[in-house]
Amino acid sequence: MTLDSGLVRRIILTVCMAIYSAGFAEKIALFDIGTGKVKMQIVEEEEGSITSLACLRESTNIDVSYFLEHKKIGASGDKLLQTLAELKEMALSYGCTRYEAVATELFRQAEDGEEFARKITKTLQIQTRVITSKEEAVLAFWTVVREKGLDPQKVVVLDMGSGSFQFA
C-alpha cells in the first residue's frame, strides 16, 4: 500500500499510533490544509495494522492574490469551508467518527489563520490545529523514517508543499 506522500501520511502514523496504544480501532478522516490543496486521508486501524481506505485531494479555492495583498484568508475561506464540508461528507460514508486537521503555511502567514482554524473546528467539527514549520518538518521526518524503515541517523527529509518546504 502506498500512502499519499504529503503531510497527511505523517499525521496518519501519529494518530494511528495513539489509537493503537489506546487499544481500540476507529475510522479517522485526516486533513492536511495547505496553501493550494486540501488532502484527506481516511484510515482504519485494526489489530495493530493501519489500512488506508481513501485519499482525496481538492483545491483549497483560496484567492491567493487576495491573500498575498492582504495577508488574510478572507471571504475565500467560505469556499474552503465548502470544500472541507464536501470532503467530510465523503468521510461519513466511510463511517468515520473522528476528524482531525492540520493547517500549514497559509494559516501560519494569514493574520486570520488561527481564527479561521477555530471557525473550521466550530462549524464543521473538524478539530483543526495550525502547526509550526518545525512541527511540519518533524512529522515529515518521522513518517518517512517509520514508513521506509530507515535509520533516523542516516536520512534527511525534504517536504515540499505549495506554500512552504521543510528540511529535517
Side-chain angles (χ1 to χ4, degrees):
M1 167 185 70
T2 303
L3 296 178
D4 179 65
S5 62
L7 180 60
V8 172
R9 183 173 63 189
R10 295 179 284 288
I11 302 304
I12 291 166
L13 291 173
T14 303
V15 170
C16 287
M17 290 303 292
I19 290 168
Y20 177 69
S21 65
F24 63 91
E26 183 176 24
K27 289 183 183 174
I28 308 164
L30 303 166
F31 300 83
D32 172 3
I33 308 170
T35 302
K37 297 279 183 194
V38 175
K39 293 175 269 299
M40 179 181 70
Q41 184 83 36
I42 298 173
V43 298
E44 180 179 49
E45 182 277 327
E46 186 174 2
E47 297 180 16
S49 67
I50 299 167
T51 304
S52 176
L53 303 177
C55 181
L56 300 160
R57 292 178 188 221
E58 295 290 336
S59 171
T60 58
N61 294 309
I62 294 294
D63 182 344
V64 177
S65 60
Y66 177 86
F67 169 74
L68 290 172
E69 183 177 342
H70 300 282
K71 293 296 183 197
K72 292 185 177 186
I73 295 170
S76 62
D78 292 339
K79 293 177 185 175
L80 173 57
L81 283 174
Q82 181 61 39
T83 298
L84 288 167
E86 290 168 6
L87 288 170
K88 184 178 178 185
E89 189 67 32
M90 289 180 210
L92 281 169
S93 71
Y94 282 88
C96 290
T97 57
R98 186 165 152 197
Y99 305 88
E100 302 281 339
V102 293
T104 59
E105 185 68 12
L106 175 72
F107 285 73
R108 288 193 292 264
Q109 295 299 319
E111 292 174 12
D112 59 348
E114 289 284 348
E115 176 187 342
F116 199 80
R118 287 189 297 275
K119 183 175 183 177
I120 293 169
T121 298
K122 183 178 179 183
T123 305
L124 299 174
Q125 290 74 52
I126 298 172
Q127 295 303 310
T128 305
R129 186 169 79 90
V130 179
I131 61 172
T132 67
S133 185
K134 184 176 181 178
E135 289 173 308
E136 197 172 348
V138 169
L139 287 170
F141 178 81
W142 285 110
T143 297
V144 171
V145 167
R146 286 181 183 149
E147 187 174 288
K148 302 295 182 186
L150 302 172
D151 180 346
Q153 300 296 319
K154 297 180 180 179
V155 67
V156 174
V157 174
L158 171 62
D159 181 25
M160 294 175 44
S162 297
S164 68
F165 67 93
Q166 294 76 34
F167 286 98

